[in-house]
Amino acid sequence: SHPLRETVNLLNPLIQDQTIMRTTLLPGILKTIQWNINHMADEVKIFEVGKVFLNSGNIENNILPVEKLNIAGGIVKTGRGNIWEKNEKWDLFYLKGILDKLFDGLRIQNISYTRGSFPVFNMKENGIIKFNNQEIGRFGKVSKNLSDILDIPEDVFLFEVDFSELYSKVTLDIVFEPLPKYPSLNRDISIVVPEQVLVDELKKTIIEVNPKIIREVELFDIFKGKQVKTGNKSVAFSIIFQSKDRTLTDEEVDKMMENVKIKLNSEFMAELRK
């Protein structure tokens, strides 16, 4: 019942198993990953920029399908290799870091990530990529059932973004700012929140306490274990405070940190990890 199953059929296909126009790049990415793993590749990082064709619903009236340019990619690590490669963990957060680098490189801001339900992905590791709350892509871990069908024993992580939509958001005018004159202050906070709370929502809430002073919020730890109550997770952030027009005092930053704790507790039932 998924909309991407509403494909456009070719009248005169040249190849028997290519009778429809693709609506997503992900099957091609998966096929390439499968081929590489079968040929004993230790690590696979691939991407493709290509066109997809979405059914306009008016094919009978000779209305052409909607043509879009997408970018998709995938990563998988077999676990073979030297000791350093074995210790490097490729997971959903690693993939999200790749996406963040892509958006940062294109100078695209206001990107957010929310939970998704794309059927190819594991339901617990399934995300939607949004720009200004408009969906522009998806990412996640390939479901175990699909991995088994493709005979891929390792976890596979994929993403796909509407590149036509993304490229229209690129700011071509580069604005330079002078280097900060005043020093920054750093504070760490470790909180326990319900497992379903998204890290992105926590970061936004922290920044909302004082967007002009809180310059950066960086996640540095997520923990689930016996020390944390069932159904919860421990999340730790490093918060950087900096003003453009004065040197901040410890008292000012301490007060903002107190406001951060109150706001997180009010909105997410967050408690300080002891």
Side-chain angles (χ1 to χ4, degrees), residues 4 23-26 52 54 68-72 99-100 102-104 106 108-114 127-139 159-170:
L4 293 185
T23 57
T24 170
L25 303 179
L26 294 182
V52 297
L54 307 179
K68 289 191 172 186
L69 185 67
N70 280 11
I71 178 169
L99 291 169
D100 287 339
L102 170 64
F103 300 133
D104 287 345
L106 293 172
I108 295 175
Q109 299 179 346
N110 300 325
I111 293 290
S112 60
Y113 304 90
T114 61
I128 295 172
I129 306 165
K130 292 185 175 182
F131 173 82
N132 283 341
N133 292 322
Q134 175 188 347
E135 183 176 339
I136 60 168
R138 60 189 70 91
F139 70 111
F159 75 88
E160 185 170 27
V161 176
D162 182 343
F163 198 63
S164 302
E165 184 67 28
L166 187 69
Y167 193 74
S168 67
K169 313 301 182 188
V170 174

Side-chain angles (χ1 to χ4, degrees), residues 71-134:
I71 178 169
I75 60 171
V76 61
K77 189 172 183 295
T78 63
R80 292 185 287 268
N82 63 43
I83 187 171
W84 308 113
E85 291 170 343
K86 287 180 180 179
N87 291 335
E88 187 180 39
K89 189 176 182 181
W90 289 14
D91 54 15
L92 198 65
F93 300 106
Y94 188 91
L95 179 67
K96 182 177 173 292
I98 293 173
L99 291 169
D100 287 339
K101 285 289 185 182
L102 170 64
F103 300 133
D104 287 345
L106 293 172
R107 300 188 300 280
I108 295 175
Q109 299 179 346
N110 300 325
I111 293 290
S112 60
Y113 304 90
T114 61
R115 283 190 174 81
S117 57
F118 194 59
V120 169
F121 298 142
N122 179 301
M123 285 298 104
K124 290 186 177 180
E125 299 185 69
N126 196 323
I128 295 172
I129 306 165
K130 292 185 175 182
F131 173 82
N132 283 341
N133 292 322
Q134 175 188 347

Side-chain angles (χ1 to χ4, degrees), residues 190-207:
S190 181
I191 55 175
V192 177
V193 294
E195 197 169 341
Q196 66 270 21
V197 174
L198 299 179
V199 167
D200 203 52
E201 293 175 353
L202 294 170
K203 291 175 68 173
K204 285 181 178 178
T205 301
I206 294 171
I207 292 172

